[in-house]
Amino acid sequence: MGKVIVVTSGKGGVGKTTSTAALGAALAQNGERVVVVDFDVGLRNLDLVMGAERRVVYDLVNVIQGEAKLTQALIRDKRVETLYLLPASQTRDKENLTPEGVEKVIASLKNAFDWVICDSPAGIERGATLAMRHADVAIVVTNPEVSSVRDSDRIIGLLDSKTVKAENGEPMEKHLLLTRYDSARAERGDMLKVDDVLEILSIPLLGIIPESMDVLRASNVGAPVTLADGRSAPAMAYFEAARRLRGEILPVTIPGEKRGFFGKIFGRKAA
Amino acid sequence: MNLFRLFSRSQSAPAARERLQVLLAHDRASTGDSDLVTKLRDEILRAISKHMQVDSEKVSVKLERGIQVSTLIVDVEIPFDSARKAA
């Protein structure tokens, strides 16, 4: 029986899709069977970030409406053979996602995969609540910035009340993934520090992903950053986060924090 | 960048942190009762109108959020006539 993870944030543009793709690929690169599921019906993008946009035939809504079988809609990654994508529909609207339909699809995916990673749409509406509904674990993606932190706090509240786990009185496992972190700006006092965000949101830290050109470069070519350049700073941070998801205990390092004298003088290169 | 500006500029992260702490304390407490101020305004207005005639447009109820305590500010404009009627 696989584990269901929701990647969520409330606020848009903080890196949910990037993180879903990168973590999904990182887990699959280790040989585990992974499916990444796009819940952003009407505004799908996970296919693009994964580089599978030209291979989409059927989607999540087709499967829910009984117009296609799950196996027909799943797209196998061309680089990592244990990695699959279930795309969202680009043309239908979110009303086509029914709670019963989503429950059935998630149950089938759980049987076939080790990890089912659901990429939530932004906001707190139907798409977002359905994406989190059946999750065993939540990854809350947050930027070190006031509006993102506030929205994350709101999402944490929903995770603790609107999920199946919460309704059954079980604790919901939640992890913070701090993305677009710029340690130089944080050290200068112009960006919330890791500890500030942790203290405010008080959920355990899964990883810190540095602000980096490599993330954009990877999405430009349609590859999860862990596949595009496995030795880049953000890829290494995602690999570590994936290991923590598997239950390994690793100390979290703040990327780019220990720079030498010259690094400080000449400013920070894109990590 | 102007060197003077670089050195004189104060840090902004502590402000972000403090604003968030105050805001979230209130967000968390008020979930499910977001229109508390509207309810208070209606009930206060009803209580006052029992004793004097007031224009509902001239009643303002504000809630100012602070770290330790919040302040509820009720401002009621009472026309001269209705005040005398009440007395």
Side-chain angles (χ1 to χ4, degrees):
Chain A
M1 205 62 152
K3 240 185 187 173
V4 182
I5 297 179
V6 61
V7 179
T8 186
S9 70
K11 191 176 181 294
V14 296
K16 285 182 294 298
T17 302
T18 302
S19 299
T20 302
L23 288 172
L27 288 166
Q29 280 165 278
N30 197 44
E32 286 162 287
R33 293 175 59 79
V34 179
V35 60
V36 288
V37 186
D38 193 346
F39 269 82
D40 206 345
V41 173
L43 289 170
R44 77 165 174 231
N45 276 319
L46 188 55
D47 55 335
L48 204 50
V49 173
M50 297 284 291
E53 71 277 9
R54 294 198 294 177
R55 298 168 62 208
V56 176
V57 183
Y58 294 113
D59 56 56
L60 176 62
V61 170
N62 291 135
V63 177
I64 286 178
Q65 307 265 308
E67 296 154 352
K69 285 189 186 138
L70 188 54
T71 45
Q72 291 176 298
L74 287 171
I75 301 169
R76 184 189 214 153
D77 191 88
K78 288 198 165 163
R79 299 149 296 208
V80 186
E81 60 174 22
T82 56
L83 179 60
Y84 287 78
L85 162 72
L86 181 55
S89 167
Q90 180 69 339
T91 49
R92 311 285 192 87
D93 64 50
K94 291 191 200 320
E95 301 314 306
N96 289 304
L97 286 183
T98 60
E100 303 76 32
V102 170
E103 188 178 356
K104 259 175 84 178
V105 171
I106 296 283
S108 318
L109 291 174
K110 259 175 103 162
N111 276 325
F113 292 91
D114 299 316
W115 300 92
V116 180
I117 309 183
C118 305
D119 183 20
S120 170
I124 52 171
E125 308 301 324
R126 191 187 182 86
T129 47
L130 279 177
M132 69 169 64
R133 179 132 189 92
H134 301 280
D136 300 308
V137 180
I139 297 175
V140 180
V141 183
T142 307
N143 291 167
E145 178 270 327
V146 286
S147 51
S148 174
V149 174
R150 181 193 203 176
D151 292 358
S152 293
D153 189 74
R154 183 89 167 86
I155 281 292
I156 290 170
L158 292 179
L159 287 165
D160 286 332
S161 61
K162 303 276 179 182
T163 52
V164 173
K165 270 201 150 188
E167 286 171 7
N168 291 339
E170 294 167 49
M172 182 77 199
E173 190 183 330
K174 301 172 290 285
H175 299 278
L176 178 73
L177 188 64
L178 196 60
T179 54
R180 311 198 68 160
Y181 191 74
D182 186 330
S183 59
R185 289 169 74 185
E187 274 173 63
R188 241 186 282 134
D190 278 330
M191 185 183 262
L192 287 167
K193 288 192 170 178
V194 179
D195 288 341
D196 294 336
V197 183
L198 282 176
E199 191 195 325
I200 292 167
L201 294 178
S202 56
I203 56 172
L205 184 63
L206 184 70
I208 305 163
I209 313 299
E211 168 82 52
S212 163
M213 274 300 294
D214 296 302
V215 173
L216 181 60
R217 204 174 292 142
S219 82
N220 283 344
V221 299
V225 69
T226 45
L227 281 174
D229 183 359
R231 296 177 66 189
S232 64
M236 292 188 357
Y238 277 119
F239 279 125
E240 279 190 12
R243 287 172 63 190
R244 286 187 201 101
L245 268 182
R246 281 190 213 110
E248 284 184 48
I249 313 282
L250 294 169
V252 181
T253 50
I254 300 176
E257 182 118 278
K258 289 190 187 72
R259 275 173 308 113
F261 177 68
F262 286 100
K264 275 183 183 149
I265 286 189
F266 294 117
R268 181 181 167 281
K269 280 192 194 132
Chain B
M1 187 193 284
N2 186 326
L3 266 184
F4 178 73
R5 236 187 109 221
L6 182 70
F7 289 112
S8 66
R9 203 173 50 174
S10 64
Q11 299 189 339
S12 60
R17 182 192 147 100
E18 197 186 308
R19 288 176 60 220
L20 270 170
Q21 279 170 332
V22 173
L23 175 70
L24 291 182
H26 285 277
D27 274 2
R28 288 169 189 157
S30 67
T31 308
D33 199 8
S34 52
D35 51 354
L36 177 68
V37 175
T38 319
K39 280 185 199 159
L40 280 173
R41 188 183 178 281
D42 288 348
E43 283 177 32
I44 290 169
L45 189 61
R46 224 177 300 143
I48 296 174
S49 355
K50 276 189 206 161
H51 306 285
M52 58 183 78
Q53 274 195 324
V54 284
D55 184 353
S56 68
E57 302 284 303
K58 302 273 169 67
V59 178
S60 100
V61 176
K62 284 182 201 158
L63 191 61
E64 215 164 277
R65 293 154 170 187
I67 301 175
Q68 294 296 324
V69 286
S70 298
T71 319
L72 182 71
I73 305 161
V74 184
D75 189 351
V76 185
E77 196 175 297
I78 304 167
F80 182 65
D81 278 356
S82 58
R84 198 168 47 186
K85 212 187 317 179

